[in-house]
C-alpha cells in the first residue's frame, strides 16, 4: 500500500463538532422475496455528521473507534498501528480529521471550514441541527401533493386525527375571565392573516416599502457601549438585545427600486445591491421558496439571515443560543404582519425554503450566517385564488 509522506507525517486532531449516528437502510432484495421473505433487506451503518462538511459521511468500524480516541483540541501524530494509520489517512481525506499543516488545497479548505466552525462558538447539537436540516432542490408543494396532505381534509385522511387538546378533569375548578370591548388594536389583530394571493400588477409605493423596512428591521435608538459595541433598540425583542438577524431582499415590484437582490443596511436605512441570480429573479424566488408559487410573486421577499456569530459571541456554545435566534424570526415576522396589516398590505412567513439555493446568491457562510426563514409583503390580489385562513371573514368578503 502506497502512503503519501505528507499525510503520514501530519499532526492531526479531530474536527471540533462531530456526531456519530447509527442508520438503518432498506433495499429491495429479490432473492429474499423469492425465498419467502418480504423482499426488504435492512442494513446498519455508521454515519458521521460534521457541520463544517455539511454532508453526512459513512465511516467503518475502525474509523469510528479512532474518531472516539482522537480529541478535537490537541494536535497529535497519526497512530503507529498500520490499520489505524490507514484509517486516520482516510479520515483526513474525508475531512473528519484535520491537519496542522494541510498538504493540498482540499485539506486547507477543510481546515479553514473547521476553524470557522470553532470561531463561531456553536453549541454542538445546534450546529448539527442547523447544518443537516438545510434543503436543496426540495419542491415542498409537490411533496405535500404527492403525500395527499395538501388540503385540510387530505391531512385528516392521511394522518388520522390530530392530538386531542390537553385533558382537563371534569371536576376541575376554573375561573371565567371578563372580556373587554375591542379596540382598534384588536381590529388590527383580527385582520392579520397569511397572504397567499398577491397583486403583481400593482406596484408597491416607495413610501410603504420604506416604512415596512424601517418598522420591522430599522433601529429606533441605540446605546454606544464602546467603539466596537453598540446595542440597538428595535421594534421586536431579541435574545441578549443582540439583534443578529439581517434582512436580504428580493425586490420585484416596488416603485423607485429596480428589481433585484439587496441587503438592507441598518445604518443609514439603505439598500446594497447584490449580483443578480444566474437563473433569473422569479426562478430564484420559486426555487428558494420550495416552489410555493403563492408567495413567489410578493412585491418584496425577505430572507431572515441571522449572524449566528453575533449571538454566540455572548452565548458561547450555549444550549439555548440557537433557540433565541429562532425565536427572533417569529418576533420579526409578527411585527411584519402587523405593520403590513396596518398599511393595508398582506404578509407571509415560511420555513419551507431551500437554504442551499439562497446561500451562494446572498453570499452567505452558513457557519456564521444562514438563511432561517423567508417572509414578504405586498398588495393583496383582488380575488382569492389560493386558499387563505380567514374564518371570520375579516380579510375576504364571503360570497352569498
Amino acid at each position: 500500500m502506497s502512503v503519501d509522506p505528507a499525510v503520514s507525517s501530519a499532526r492531526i486532531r479531530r474536527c471540533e463538532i462531530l456526531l456519530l449516528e447509527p442508520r438503518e437502510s432498506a433495499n429491495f432484495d429479490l432473492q429474499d422475496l423469492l425465498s419467502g421473505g418480504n423482499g426488504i433487506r435492512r442494513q446498519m451503518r455508521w454515519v458521521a455528521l460534521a457541520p463544517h462538511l455539511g454532508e453526512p459521511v459513512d465511516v467503518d468500524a475502525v474509523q469510528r473507534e479512532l474518531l472516539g480516541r482522537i480529541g478535537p483540541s490537541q494536535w497529535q501524530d497519526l497512530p503507529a498501528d498500520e490499520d489505524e494509520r490507514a484509517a486516520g489517512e482516510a479520515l483526513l481525506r474525508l475531512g473528519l480529521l484535520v491537519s496542522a499543516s494541510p498538504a493540498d488545497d482540499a485539506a486547507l479548505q477543510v481546515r479553514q471550514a473547521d476553524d470557522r466552525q470553532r470561531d463561531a462558538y456553536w453549541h454542538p447539537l445546534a450546529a448539527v441541527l442547523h447544518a443537516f436540516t438545510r434543503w436543496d432542490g426540495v419542491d415542498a408543494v409537490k411533496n405535500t401533493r404527492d403525500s395527499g396532505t395538501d388540503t385540510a381534509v387530505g391531512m385528516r385522511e392521511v394522518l388520522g386525527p390530530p392530538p386531542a387538546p390537553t385533558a382537563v378533569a371534569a371536576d376541575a375548578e376554573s375561573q371565567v375571565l371578563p372580556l373587554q370591548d375591542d379596540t382598534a388594536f384588536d381590529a388590527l389583530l383580527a385582520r392579520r392573516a397569511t397572504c397567499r394571493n398577491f397583486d403583481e400588477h400593482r406596484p408597491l409605493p416607495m413610501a410603504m416599502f420604506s416604512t415596512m423596512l424601517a418598522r420591522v428591521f430599522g433601529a429606533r435608538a441605540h446605546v454606544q457601549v464602546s467603539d466596537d459595541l453598540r446595542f440597538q433598540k428595535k421594534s421586536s425583542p431579541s435574545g441578549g438585545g443582540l439583534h443578529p438577524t439581517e434582512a436580504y431582499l428580493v425586490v420585484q415590484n416596488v416603485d423607485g427600486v429596480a428589481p433585484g437582490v439587496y441587503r438592507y443596511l441598518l445604518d443609514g436605512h439603505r439598500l446594497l445591491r447584490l449580483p443578480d441570480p444566474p437563473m433569473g429573479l422569479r426562478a430564484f424566488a420559486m426555487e428558494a421558496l420550495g416552489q410555493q408559487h403563492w408567495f413567489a410573486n410578493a412585491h418584496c421577499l425577505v430572507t431572515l439571515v441571522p449572524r449566528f456569530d453575533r449571538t454566540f459571541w455572548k452565548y458561547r456554545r450555549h444550549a439555548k443560543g440557537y433557540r433565541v435566534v429562532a425565536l427572533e424570526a417569529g418576533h420579526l415576522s409578527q411585527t411584519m404582519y402587523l405593520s403590513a396589516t396596518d398599511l393595508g398590505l398582506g404578509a407571509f412567513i415560511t420555513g419551507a425554503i431551500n437554504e442551499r439555493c439562497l446561500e451562494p446568491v446572498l453570499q452567505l457562510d452558513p457557519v456564521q450566517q444562514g438563511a432561517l426563514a423567508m417572509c414578504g409583503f405586498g398588495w393583496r390580489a383582488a380575488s382569492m385564488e389560493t386558499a387563505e385562513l380567514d374564518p371570520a371573514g375579516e380579510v375576504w368578503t364571503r360570497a352569498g
Side-chain angles (χ1 to χ4, degrees):
M1 178 178 62
S2 62
V3 177
D4 184 344
V7 172
S8 297
S9 63
R11 298 277 287 173
I12 59 164
R13 67 184 179 189
R14 202 194 71 214
C15 60
E16 187 194 36
I17 299 176
L18 175 65
L19 179 71
L20 290 171
E21 177 191 357
R23 283 190 182 176
E24 182 182 64
S25 59
N27 299 288
F28 175 69
D29 188 332
L30 178 60
Q31 190 61 42
D32 179 80
L33 184 65
L34 294 176
S35 61
N38 62 6
I40 302 297
R41 179 167 53 89
R42 300 183 183 278
Q43 290 182 314
M44 295 297 299
R45 73 187 203 276
W46 283 93
V47 173
L49 303 175
H52 74 292
L53 299 179
E55 299 290 346
V57 177
D58 281 14
V59 293
D60 62 27
V62 178
Q63 294 168 348
R64 182 192 70 214
E65 294 304 314
L66 187 59
L67 287 168
R69 298 204 307 274
I70 297 178
S73 302
Q74 300 297 318
W75 297 103
Q76 64 183 77
D77 293 329
L78 279 166
D81 177 84
E82 183 177 353
D83 290 341
E84 290 193 343
R85 177 177 289 271
E89 292 168 354
L91 291 171
L92 274 170
R93 290 190 293 271
L94 291 171
L96 298 174
L97 296 181
V98 294
S99 172
S101 303
D104 52 38
D105 288 343
L108 178 61
Q109 289 174 7
V110 169
R111 171 69 189 278
Q112 291 173 337
D114 184 57
D115 286 346
R116 289 198 303 274
Q117 192 77 57
R118 293 168 186 269
D119 293 343
Y121 303 113
W122 280 86
H123 185 275
L125 295 180
V128 172
L129 169 70
H130 174 71
F132 292 98
T133 56
R134 289 152 57 228
W135 282 0
D136 184 20
V138 173
D139 187 333
V141 177
K142 182 178 184 299
N143 287 351
T144 56
R145 187 183 302 122
D146 290 348
S147 66
T149 58
D150 54 333
T151 66
V153 173
M155 283 193 294
R156 176 61 179 80
E157 291 178 351
V158 172
L159 305 176
T166 303
V168 178
D171 58 351
E173 293 186 5
S174 61
Q175 179 180 353
V176 177
L177 302 176
L179 293 174
Q180 308 301 315
D181 292 338
D182 283 353
T183 66
F185 185 67
D186 294 296
L188 179 67
L189 291 173
R191 298 196 309 274
R192 187 213 63 79
T194 295
C195 181
R196 292 182 173 86
N197 299 271
F198 289 96
D199 185 354
E200 59 184 319
H201 302 295
R202 182 184 181 188
L204 185 68
M206 168 64 84
M208 284 187 169
F209 172 73
S210 180
T211 297
M212 285 291 297
L213 294 181
R215 282 180 171 182
V216 182
F217 301 107
R220 321 302 282 187
H222 69 267
V223 177
Q224 195 74 40
V225 179
S226 64
D227 290 343
D228 56 2
L229 178 58
R230 180 171 61 173
F231 285 91
Q232 308 284 355
K233 173 65 174 72
K234 296 189 178 183
S235 303
S236 302
S238 177
L242 296 170
H243 296 285
T245 303
E246 299 181 349
Y248 285 72
L249 318 179
V250 175
V251 176
Q252 300 191 104
N253 194 3
V254 176
D255 277 336
V257 182
V261 180
Y262 296 85
R263 178 184 170 192
Y264 173 69
L265 301 179
L266 180 67
D267 291 337
H269 188 51
R270 297 173 293 143
L271 296 179
L272 176 67
R273 182 77 181 260
L274 300 178
D276 291 336
M279 71 286 286
L281 209 58
R282 181 54 61 85
F284 171 64
M286 284 287 288
E287 179 64 18
L289 286 163
Q291 306 303 318
Q292 296 176 90
H293 56 85
W294 46 83
F295 294 145
N297 64 343
H299 298 66
C300 178
L301 302 171
V302 184
T303 304
L304 301 179
V305 177
R307 279 282 307 274
F308 296 114
D309 56 348
R310 180 168 175 82
T311 290
F312 301 159
W313 164 77
K314 177 179 181 181
Y315 300 113
R316 300 192 175 195
R317 300 179 178 86
H318 198 293
K320 305 297 183 181
Y322 190 78
R323 188 174 300 190
V324 298
V325 172
L327 283 171
E328 184 169 317
H331 299 321
L332 289 167
S333 69
Q334 177 70 338
T335 301
M336 175 174 287
Y337 270 88
L338 295 181
S339 298
T341 304
D342 176 64
L343 294 173
L345 304 174
F348 77 89
I349 185 170
T350 179
I353 62 174
N354 282 307
E355 295 92 337
R356 292 177 185 266
C357 165
L358 286 157
E359 288 161 1
V361 174
L362 304 185
Q363 303 173 2
L364 306 179
D365 175 1
V367 171
Q368 296 183 333
Q369 53 182 166
L372 194 61
M374 287 185 72
C375 50
F377 57 90
W379 292 117
R380 282 185 181 275
S383 60
M384 188 197 304
E385 301 298 329
T386 302
E388 296 183 14
L389 186 61
D390 180 35
E394 295 286 346
V395 177
W396 299 97
T397 302
R398 294 182 178 277

